[in-house]
Amino acid sequence: MSQQDLTSGSTTPVNSNVMLEKEEEPILPQKGFKDYILISFFCLLVAFGGFVFGFDTGTIGGFLNMTDFQERFGEVNAEGEHYISDIRTGLIVSVFNIGCAFGGIFLSKVGDVFGRRIGLMFSMVIYVVGIVVQISSQTHWYQVMVGRIISGLAVGCVAVLSPLFISETAPKTLRGPLVCCFQLCITLGIFLGYCICFGTKDLSDSRQWRVPLGLCFLWALFLVTGMVFMPESPRYLVEKERIEDAKVSIARSNKVDSEDPFVYAEVELIQAGIDREALAGSASWKELITGKPAIFRRVVMGIMLQSLQQLTGINYFFYYGTTIFQAVGLEDSFETSIILGTVNFASTFVGIYIIERLGRRITLLGGSFWMFVCLLIYACIGSLRLFVNGHEGETYEASGNAMIFITCLYIFFFSSTWAGGVYTIISESYPLRIRSKAMAVATAFNWLWGFLISFFTPQITNAIHFYYGFVFAGCLLFSFFYVYFFVSETKGLSLEEVDELYADKVAPWKSSSWTPKGDKQAGDV
C-alpha cells in the first residue's frame, strides 16, 4: 500500500491480488514504555469484560448457600429445613455455561459485522436483560435458571470478543500480558463476588442475593462507558476498507498524529496480512476445516486447550474446597471462598509476568506438571489419610491442613499458567478472517466441559469422594504431552507472522527458536 493510497481519503484497499512479500513489509519504529501507556489502558477497558464473567462465578456459589435464596428456590427436607438439591444446584449453576457456548458461537458474530466495540456493547444489553429476569424472581427457581441462560449468552460473546479485541489492538511486545489481563479481571470479579456475598450473607431478607446481583448493572454500565472511549480495532477497520478510520484508531491508541509514519507503517503491515488472507477468498465455517496454512490443526489445538483448561479440575477444586476446609474446623464456606479467591486473584499477576518472560509453551508445560503433582498428592491424602473411619465423620487435622495447602498451591499454579495462557494462545493463533469463528468454536468447548463438570461434580463427589482427583490428574498428564507435541510458541510474533510460522510447518517443539524470514534477513545485513 502506497502512502498516496492512505492519504487520499479513499477507503478502497490495495489490490488484494498483489501479495506483499515478507521482506517488503514495513518495519515499525521502535517505541518506549511510555508510548504504550494509553493503548495498555484501552486494552484494560476491554479486559474488564472478564470481570463480568468472574463476578457471576464468584456470587452464584454464595447465593446457593444463602438462607433467603434457599427458602425461595429450594425444597424442604424431612426435618423441615430448606435446601437446594444436587440436581437443582447443578442446573442453576451449569446452564450458564450452555448460554455461554451459544453466545460465543452466534452472538459474537455481531463483532464481525458491526465492530468489536459495538459487539461488546450489545452483549451488555443482553446481559442486563438476564440480570433483570434473575433479580425479579420471587419463588420460581426455573426463572433464575432462564435468567442465567440469557446472561450466559452475553458472557459467552464477551469471552470471545474481549481477548480478540485486545489481541488485535495491543502491540505484539505487550500482547501476552494484556490478553492475560482478561483473566486477571475474571479473578478480580470472582474475588469481589466472594467478598460482597460475605458482606451480605447475614442480612435477613432477599437483599442477601439481590444486592450482589444488582451490582451487575453497574459493571455493565462501566463496560459500555469504556467502549465509548475505546478506539475500534484497526484490523477490523482495515478489513472493512475503512482506512482513514483505521489511521485515526491507531493514532489515538498511540498518542500520535494520524499522519505519523508509525501510523502508515502499522496500516501497511495490517493490510499486507489481510491481502494475503484475501487471496483465499471470503471466510466460511467450512474454512475452519479446509483453510490454509494449517487452519484445521489450529482449530483443533484451540478446542483441546480450552477443553483441557476445564479438565485441569479447577472448578472441582472450587466446588469441593469447602468440604476439605471444613475438615479442619473452618465451617464458614464464605470464608473458604475468600481464601481461595485471594490466592486465585494474586496468582494471576504472576501469570501476567511469566507469559511474556517464559513464553506460552513453557508456561503451559510448567503449569501442567505442577498441577499434576498437586492433584496427585491431594487425591492420595484425601482418599487414604483424611478420614479416620471411611469417608465420613472424624478427620485427621494434619491431613486436612496439608490438603488446604495443596489446594492453594494448585490454584496458584493454575492461575499463573493455564488460566491466562490459554486465552493468550487462542487469541493470537488464527488469521483475521476466521479468528472470531475459530475462537468461538474453541471457547464453546470450554463452556461445554464447564457445564458437564459443574452439573455432574456434586453427584460424582458423593459417589467416589476424593478419588475424583485422580481423573483430573490423568487429564493434566495428558495435557503436558499434548502441549509439548501440538502447541506452537507465538511469543513475540505479530498476528501475521503466526501464519508464516504454520506455513513453514515448524514442529511445535522447535517453534521457540523459529524466527520470521524478515528477521533472518535483517540479521544478515
Side-chain angles (χ1 to χ4, degrees):
M1 178 183 294
S2 67
Q3 186 162 318
Q4 182 179 359
D5 290 320
L6 295 176
T7 57
S8 62
S10 172
T11 59
T12 303
V14 295
N15 187 347
S16 62
N17 293 323
V18 179
M19 182 172 171
L20 296 180
E21 297 296 332
K22 178 73 184 177
E23 60 270 22
E24 295 177 353
E25 292 178 0
I27 300 177
L28 298 180
Q30 293 294 320
K31 306 191 75 180
F33 174 76
K34 292 182 178 179
D35 299 315
Y36 291 132
I37 292 178
L38 183 63
I39 194 171
S40 298
F41 172 74
F42 283 143
C43 288
L44 286 174
L45 289 178
V46 179
F48 187 78
F51 181 93
V52 177
F53 170 38
F55 191 78
D56 179 272
T57 303
T59 54
I60 186 59
F63 294 167
L64 294 171
N65 288 317
M66 289 177 175
T67 55
D68 184 82
F69 197 88
Q70 292 175 345
E71 290 171 2
R72 288 174 180 270
F73 307 115
E75 303 167 73
V76 180
N77 60 21
E79 289 75 29
E81 300 172 334
H82 289 86
Y83 75 103
I84 300 179
S85 66
D86 288 342
I87 295 295
R88 194 169 293 188
T89 295
L91 285 172
I92 291 176
V93 174
S94 61
V95 292
F96 180 80
N97 293 277
I98 296 298
C100 289
F102 282 97
I105 293 176
F106 299 109
L107 286 189
S108 62
K109 287 295 295 178
V110 176
D112 286 342
V113 177
F114 298 103
R116 315 316 189 201
R117 293 168 62 248
I118 300 300
L120 287 173
M121 292 180 184
F122 173 75
S123 68
M124 287 300 97
V125 174
I126 303 298
Y127 181 72
V128 166
V129 172
I131 297 301
V132 169
V133 173
Q134 293 178 68
I135 207 170
S136 62
S137 303
Q138 296 297 327
T139 57
H140 302 299
W141 69 272
Y142 49 82
Q143 182 176 341
V144 176
M145 185 181 70
V146 170
R148 286 182 55 74
I149 293 175
I150 297 173
S151 295
L153 291 171
V155 171
C157 180
V158 169
V160 172
L161 291 183
S162 285
L164 173 67
F165 199 172
I166 296 172
S167 69
E168 292 179 350
T169 306
K172 67 179 182 180
T173 54
L174 295 176
R175 191 171 63 235
L178 288 175
V179 172
C180 277
C181 284
F182 179 76
Q183 177 64 28
L184 177 66
C185 287
I186 291 177
T187 59
L188 177 61
I190 293 173
F191 174 69
L192 288 183
Y194 288 155
C195 291
I196 291 171
C197 284
F198 181 79
T200 63
K201 68 184 178 68
D202 292 327
L203 297 174
S204 59
D205 52 23
S206 65
R207 289 178 299 167
Q208 285 181 330
W209 56 277
R210 281 195 168 119
V211 169
L213 198 57
L215 286 173
C216 295
F217 294 115
L218 180 61
W219 315 142
L221 179 62
F222 182 86
L223 183 59
V224 170
T225 303
M227 290 306 97
V228 171
F229 297 98
M230 176 71 189
E232 182 56 86
S233 162
R235 281 182 171 83
Y236 165 80
L237 293 171
V238 173
E239 184 188 34
K240 296 298 183 181
E241 304 180 7
R242 295 165 55 184
I243 303 301
E244 288 302 315
D245 290 338
K247 289 168 55 182
V248 172
S249 176
I250 295 170
R252 281 189 61 198
S253 297
N254 294 276
K255 294 181 66 176
V256 297
D257 188 84
S258 60
E259 302 302 319
D260 189 281
F262 172 83
V263 175
Y264 288 112
E266 183 73 16
V267 173
E268 283 192 25
L269 187 63
I270 294 171
Q271 183 69 70
I274 293 175
D275 285 345
R276 287 196 300 271
E277 294 171 3
L279 293 176
S282 59
S284 63
W285 288 99
K286 180 182 178 181
E287 190 172 341
L288 296 183
I289 299 176
T290 61
K292 298 183 181 301
I295 297 299
F296 181 67
R297 172 186 156 192
R298 288 190 259 180
V299 171
V300 171
M301 179 198 70
I303 291 172
M304 290 298 297
L305 288 181
Q306 289 283 22
S307 299
L308 288 169
Q309 188 191 57
Q310 284 288 338
L311 291 170
T312 58
I314 186 63
N315 283 335
Y316 160 70
F317 262 83
F318 274 100
Y319 178 84
Y320 214 51
T322 301
T323 301
I324 62 173
F325 276 68
Q326 288 176 341
V328 292
L330 186 56
E331 300 292 339
D332 192 333
S333 61
F334 292 92
E335 292 180 4
T336 303
S337 299
I338 290 178
I339 293 173
L340 298 181
T342 300
V343 175
N344 189 32
F345 175 61
S347 304
T348 309
F349 287 98
V350 179
I352 292 175
Y353 174 76
I354 68 173
I355 193 69
E356 207 62 44
R357 181 78 173 181
L358 301 180
R360 287 49 162 161
R361 277 173 54 84
I362 296 298
T363 297
L364 294 188
L365 288 170
S368 292
F369 174 78
W370 288 112
M371 283 190 289
F372 168 75
V373 172
C374 288
L375 262 175
L376 208 57
I377 297 173
Y378 168 88
C380 287
I381 296 176
S383 302
L384 304 174
R385 295 296 304 167
L386 179 61
F387 294 99
V388 177
N389 295 304
H391 292 286
E392 301 291 342
E394 187 180 356
T395 60
Y396 294 107
E397 184 174 343
S399 297
N401 283 328
M403 294 184 72
I404 290 172
F405 175 75
I406 292 297
T407 300
C408 293
L409 195 62
Y410 168 88
I411 291 173
F412 166 79
F413 286 122
F414 173 82
S415 299
S416 59
T417 58
W418 274 74
V422 170
Y423 282 113
T424 301
I425 291 178
I426 297 303
S427 69
E428 59 190 19
S429 291
Y430 305 114
L432 178 64
R433 71 182 182 279
I434 59 99
R435 185 171 299 135
S436 64
K437 289 186 176 69
M439 288 181 63
V441 170
T443 306
F445 276 81
N446 184 289
W447 300 124
L448 175 61
W449 281 106
F451 166 77
L452 294 174
I453 292 172
S454 60
F455 182 77
F456 288 109
T457 286
Q459 294 93 317
I460 294 175
T461 51
N462 285 335
I464 64 175
H465 305 282
F466 291 101
Y467 288 104
Y468 197 22
F470 290 115
V471 175
F472 295 114
C475 293
L476 281 165
L477 184 62
F478 171 78
S479 73
F480 181 90
F481 290 102
Y482 182 83
V483 170
Y484 183 84
F485 288 107
F486 294 100
V487 178
S488 297
E489 181 60 70
T490 54
K491 171 189 172 184
L493 301 179
S494 70
L495 298 178
E496 289 71 32
E497 289 167 344
V498 171
D499 261 2
E500 184 183 337
L501 169 69
Y502 281 95
D504 286 352
K505 299 181 179 179
V506 179
W509 54 91
K510 297 180 180 179
S511 59
S512 298
S513 60
W514 179 85
T515 55
K517 292 184 177 64
D519 292 348
K520 294 175 184 177
Q521 292 171 353
D524 295 337
V525 176

